[in-house]
Amino acid sequence: MHIARRTILGALAGSAALGTLGAAPAAAGTPAGGAAAAALARLLPRHRRQVTFRTLPRRGGADAFRVSGPAGRILVEGTTPAVQLTGLHRYLRERAHAHFSWAGERTDLPAVLPAAGRALAATANVRHRFALNDTNDGYTGPYRGWDYWEREIDVLALHGFNEVLVYAGADAVYHRTFVEHGYTDAEVRAWVPGPAHQPWWLMQNMSAYGGPVSRELLDRRTALARRIVRRLRELGMTPVLPGYYGTVPPGFADRHDGARTVPQGDWAGFRRPDWLDPRTPHFAAVARTFYRVQGELLGATSMYKMDLLHEGGTPGPVPVGAAARAVEKALRTARPGAIWAVLGWQNNPRREILDAADRSKMLVLDGVPDHYPHVTDREKDWGGTPYAFGTIWNFGGHTAMGANARDWVSLYHRWRTKPGSALAGIALMPESADNNPAGLALFSDLAWTDGPVGLEDWFARWSVQRYGGTDRAAARAWGVLRRTAYGTTRADGWSEAADGLFGARPDLAVDRAGAWSPRRLRYDAAEFEKALPALLAVSPALRRSSAYRYDLLDVARQCLANRSRTLLPRVKAAYEAGDAGRFRELTRDWLDLMSLLEELVATDERHLLGRWVAEARSWGSSPAERDRLEHDALSLLTVWGPRPSADGGKLHDYANREWAGLVGGLYRLRWTTYFTELEASLHASRTPKPIDWFALEDHWTRRRPPSPTRPRGDVLQVARRIATRL
């Protein structure tokens, strides 16, 4: 992300996890039903006895699957339990017209599973298939529990990923580490931010905000992290854990004779934690403790994510290459053979780091290949360091629909197959997950497809897989979406779609809600709107799935969001013309559209602010902690932090999203306040009075009215009304 938005990634890892908790592969040709069969029982309990799982040997070191068998007797073979689930999902999509996703699914299957027919087989064309961004734990769901994570891991396995970034539990690792190095329990807990803000602490951008964390919270998060990494290992997936690269609490050098720390300055209005000089014995000692404690709590793994001097960090007098060698030495001492994953973002990784480290044991997670048109030669940029082709289609959790799909299919195939290519993986890194189901499916397919993916054919098949059968209206709708929301490219220097203006701080000239969002819509809005009546015309027999309901909501929501960009200039023109009557009429239209949007998103639990807040409060062990956690979670979506970061750091509304409770709550309050003042200024022939937006937002965030925690209304009925209104 740029500052917050241009922060990214995660890290990821290779093959099997190291240490006693690593999952041992089953012998070739023998039943390996355990983990994959257990997942099938969770996902399709009625059909669990109709599928047999077996283990295949790797083909030239690559993961592979094969699916065969008659109706009701499906044999799925794969190199790991997770790859077996990938094969099962390919069969479900291609033969049963069903699928799972993190945003709607279609699983209404016949009693007897259809025959596999011609054997379905695929070999992964890259070793590393990494998932999740550094920011994921903040923007997606910092207070989600095991039920959520169990499902999320299953979905990632079904889509072919084998390396997953895990930040949960890192707070307990740092806590124990620095208690052992002279800090009190209370001092470290005050330094650790609340869970919603912890990703930026782990990236050395800030500390403390949203805290202090309680011992009970640390214990609960550790227990969750243990379940996450245990499940990943059971499936043969790699948990990617944070490595240690020098972040220390305040006053470390004052407490340890001979220690040298480098102040890191500010990040978006926050003071960054100090950096411990990696060349010193003190660094080696802290790193030893860190990896030992992490191993005791979560076990060892084979990939660790670390970004030295990320997003404005300064080395001071420390030579960057020497620091990188010391960081790598600490990692290799604790975890021989582990891969060091580093983010490819802005100027990261610095060339001095790559030149100093063992490139053969590094993986750069490229966050911008579909973002900037000047990115053309990663072998030259990174000196031949292995890298994963990545995407960040979403920043901060914006609900905007779409992705640069044309870049994915063209660049990935061309870069992977060129002579001397160092492309060794894919990296799925939206800043907030659980959105854009077509993007999830398409991007994951890159790693399991021989040759380039044909977009027109892929989207035609997707409409069948998504809703369960061939339908001309569904095909027409997805044809529109392919050409518009998924037809954009990096030529304009963006990888995400433009956010709507309902979530922006009010101004008649505002052109984006988040400070680093695109200033204009990246496709033809009128053409996009044709997808809504097409979706509404889909056969009633194909409307029963959560996949259809999610897509209908998403398209209708995007149509309303796009209208904000065409309506606001008309409001501005009326105001500047001094036409109070026209101004009142148009602002009433604006607020009516916001009411429709609030009603629409209230039909889906994933779009409820009340659910987000209830999840945060459920982790508190006292009334005071529940209030603190609520503010931690809610502030991230609104002001992000205190005034210096919200205003000076431009982080306010960075995580804007069209959710029930936000649209009808803070967003409506802001626009109503603004329009009321503008209308008063017209009647009084005076300049509008300035409004302290941070004060209004902060007050609402701390004293907002309650929001529903359960969905209400019928998305089909609301979408029909929206189509009529447009």
Side-chain angles (χ1 to χ4, degrees):
M1 45 188 274
H2 178 64
I3 292 238
R5 150 216 186 143
R6 309 210 167 200
T7 261
I8 128 189
L9 163 39
L12 169 105
S15 53
L18 301 174
T20 58
L21 295 181
T30 62
L40 177 61
R42 292 189 294 271
L43 298 165
L44 293 173
R46 291 176 51 241
H47 300 84
R48 67 185 185 278
R49 301 188 186 281
Q50 298 182 38
V51 181
T52 300
F53 295 99
R54 293 186 183 277
T55 300
L56 282 177
R58 281 188 167 84
R59 298 178 179 177
D63 281 321
F65 65 75
R66 186 177 186 276
V67 186
S68 58
R73 295 172 53 196
I74 304 302
L75 174 63
V76 181
E77 300 169 287
T79 44
T80 68
V83 173
Q84 292 160 17
L85 291 176
T86 307
L88 171 69
H89 200 224
R90 175 68 66 88
Y91 156 79
L92 290 174
R93 288 170 62 185
E94 297 291 340
R95 300 292 187 262
H97 298 161
H99 80 289
F100 290 89
S101 183
W102 57 22
E105 62 192 36
R106 193 268 168 183
T107 58
D108 185 13
L109 294 164
V112 177
L113 291 175
R118 178 177 54 83
L120 290 167
T123 299
N125 55 48
V126 285
R127 171 189 174 192
H128 300 287
R129 303 179 301 280
F130 168 82
L132 304 183
N133 195 306
D134 286 60
T135 65
N136 184 73
D137 265 9
Y139 291 139
T140 304
Y143 294 99
R144 301 274 162 83
W146 174 241
D147 287 348
Y148 166 83
W149 275 103
E150 181 173 55
R151 179 72 168 198
E152 192 82 345
I153 293 168
D154 285 344
V155 168
L156 291 174
L158 289 164
H159 284 81
F161 293 96
N162 65 347
E163 301 163 334
V164 180
L165 181 64
V166 180
Y167 266 7
D171 45 8
V173 174
Y174 270 92
H175 174 262
R176 274 186 50 182
T177 295
F178 285 106
V179 166
E180 291 192 23
H181 283 268
Y183 289 83
T184 67
D185 164 73
E187 285 175 329
V188 183
R189 288 191 293 104
W191 178 60
V192 176
H197 289 81
Q198 282 185 21
W200 295 271
W201 165 64
L202 293 172
M203 291 183 284
Q204 206 178 23
N205 291 339
M206 46 86 75
S207 63
Y209 189 80
V213 295
S214 68
R215 291 298 300 270
E216 293 84 358
L217 184 63
L218 290 175
D219 290 344
R220 286 188 65 185
R221 285 175 58 77
T222 301
L224 174 62
R226 282 174 166 156
R227 298 186 78 172
I228 293 170
V229 297
R230 184 183 305 122
R231 177 58 53 78
L232 290 171
R233 289 169 175 138
E234 288 171 357
L235 290 169
M237 303 167 78
T238 299
V240 181
L241 302 178
Y244 185 70
Y245 58 98
T247 304
V248 292
F252 186 90
D254 297 333
R255 299 172 187 235
H256 299 84
D257 289 342
R260 294 193 298 271
T261 56
V262 180
Q264 292 298 291
D266 292 337
W267 176 87
F270 288 98
R271 183 182 175 224
R272 300 176 65 135
D274 291 342
W275 183 48
L276 179 61
D277 186 342
R279 301 171 300 167
T280 64
H282 290 284
F283 176 90
V286 173
R288 279 196 302 272
T289 305
F290 180 93
Y291 288 116
R292 173 178 56 78
V293 169
Q294 188 182 64
E296 291 169 357
L297 293 178
L298 304 176
T301 191
S302 59
M303 184 177 285
Y304 293 83
K305 186 269 177 183
M306 297 181 285
D307 290 308
L308 276 67
L309 309 171
H310 175 60
E311 285 200 355
T314 175
V318 180
V320 174
R325 281 191 292 273
V327 168
E328 184 179 40
K329 180 180 178 181
L331 172 64
R332 304 268 173 258
T333 300
R335 304 288 182 260
I339 293 174
W340 176 359
V342 60
L343 169 64
W345 177 256
Q346 297 179 346
N347 296 322
N348 200 51
R350 301 186 186 209
R351 187 59 184 262
E352 304 100 301
I353 294 174
L354 298 177
D355 289 344
D358 180 353
R359 289 194 181 99
S360 69
K361 292 186 174 121
M362 294 191 79
L363 180 70
V364 181
L365 302 164
D366 190 354
V368 299
D370 63 341
H371 196 310
Y372 298 120
H374 67 263
V375 173
T376 58
D377 190 342
R378 285 317 202 187
E379 287 72 25
K380 179 180 178 182
D381 294 340
W382 295 326
T385 307
Y387 75 97
F389 180 93
T391 181
I392 311 176
W393 69 58
N394 162 285
F395 291 93
H398 301 159
T399 36
M401 186 180 190
N404 289 348
R406 288 162 57 189
D407 291 328
W408 294 353
V409 300
S410 63
L411 296 177
Y412 178 76
H413 178 70
R414 189 164 73 247
W415 291 3
R416 185 181 66 81
T417 58
K418 75 176 184 179
S421 174
L423 196 161
I426 60 171
L428 182 81
M429 301 183 293
E431 283 199 340
S432 175
D434 299 355
N435 50 61
N436 199 357
L440 168 64
L442 174 60
F443 191 80
S444 64
D445 280 354
L446 296 177
W448 294 93
T449 303
D450 289 332
V453 174
L455 279 185
E456 188 169 352
D457 176 66
W458 190 94
F459 275 98
R461 289 184 290 110
W462 172 249
S463 69
V464 178
Q465 298 165 5
R466 187 71 171 155
Y467 307 138
T470 302
D471 184 274
R472 294 176 66 180
R476 187 165 64 252
W478 277 101
V480 169
L481 297 175
R482 171 180 59 80
R483 295 189 299 272
T484 54
Y486 293 93
T488 55
T489 76
R490 65 180 188 161
D492 60 358
W494 294 101
S495 62
E496 73 163 339
D499 52 14
L501 302 184
F502 294 128
R505 274 187 179 178
D507 187 290
L508 291 179
V510 71
D511 55 11
R512 52 189 171 173
W516 291 280
S517 297
R519 294 179 178 274
R520 60 183 61 85
L521 205 59
R522 302 178 58 223
Y523 53 81
D524 186 315
E527 181 67 18
F528 178 91
E529 284 187 7
K530 296 176 182 177
L532 182 55
L535 277 181
L536 288 168
V538 167
S539 168
L542 301 182
R543 296 180 192 163
R544 294 191 294 264
S545 69
S546 61
Y548 174 79
R549 293 192 299 273
Y550 180 91
D551 292 349
L552 182 62
L553 181 149
D554 211 20
V555 170
R557 179 206 52 73
Q558 191 64 57
C559 287
L560 290 174
N562 292 350
R563 281 298 175 99
S564 70
R565 291 183 170 273
T566 58
L567 180 55
L568 189 60
R570 297 166 60 200
V571 175
K572 181 175 185 287
Y575 178 79
E576 291 178 344
D579 189 338
R582 181 63 173 159
F583 178 80
R584 188 180 306 112
E585 176 188 350
L586 290 172
T587 55
R588 188 182 302 118
D589 287 345
W590 179 277
L591 296 175
D592 285 348
L593 290 180
M594 292 188 74
S595 295
L596 260 181
L597 180 56
E598 171 80 5
E599 188 178 355
L600 174 72
V601 292
T603 64
D604 181 71
E605 67 176 358
R606 288 158 294 202
H607 291 74
L608 300 181
L609 181 66
R611 177 192 179 210
W612 178 269
V613 170
E615 287 172 346
R617 295 189 66 83
S618 72
W619 283 73
S621 57
S622 68
E625 185 176 31
R626 285 190 282 274
D627 290 345
R628 191 162 63 246
L629 299 183
E630 174 178 344
H631 183 260
D632 175 49
L634 195 54
S635 62
L636 187 73
L637 306 186
T638 55
V639 292
W640 212 99
R643 187 185 290 272
S645 62
D647 291 349
K650 299 181 180 180
L651 295 186
H652 70 84
D653 299 303
Y654 180 86
N656 76 86
R657 49 193 71 182
E658 285 144 358
W659 279 6
L662 277 176
V663 174
L666 175 62
Y667 299 168
R668 187 180 184 90
L669 172 63
R670 288 194 302 203
W671 282 105
T672 300
T673 301
Y674 184 60
F675 288 152
T676 299
E677 173 55 28
L678 290 186
E679 187 169 355
S681 73
L682 281 178
H683 287 298
S685 299
R686 61 169 172 80
T687 301
K689 298 175 183 178
I691 298 170
D692 186 340
W693 291 118
F694 177 81
L696 180 150
E697 294 155 356
D698 188 55
H699 182 273
W700 184 90
T701 298
R702 296 178 186 277
R703 296 176 179 82
R704 66 175 186 86
S707 302
T709 58
R710 296 179 181 274
R712 58 190 177 188
D714 184 333
V715 65
L716 188 63
Q717 293 181 7
V718 182
R720 283 172 175 159
R721 286 166 45 210
I722 291 171
T724 301
R725 173 68 182 267
L726 294 177

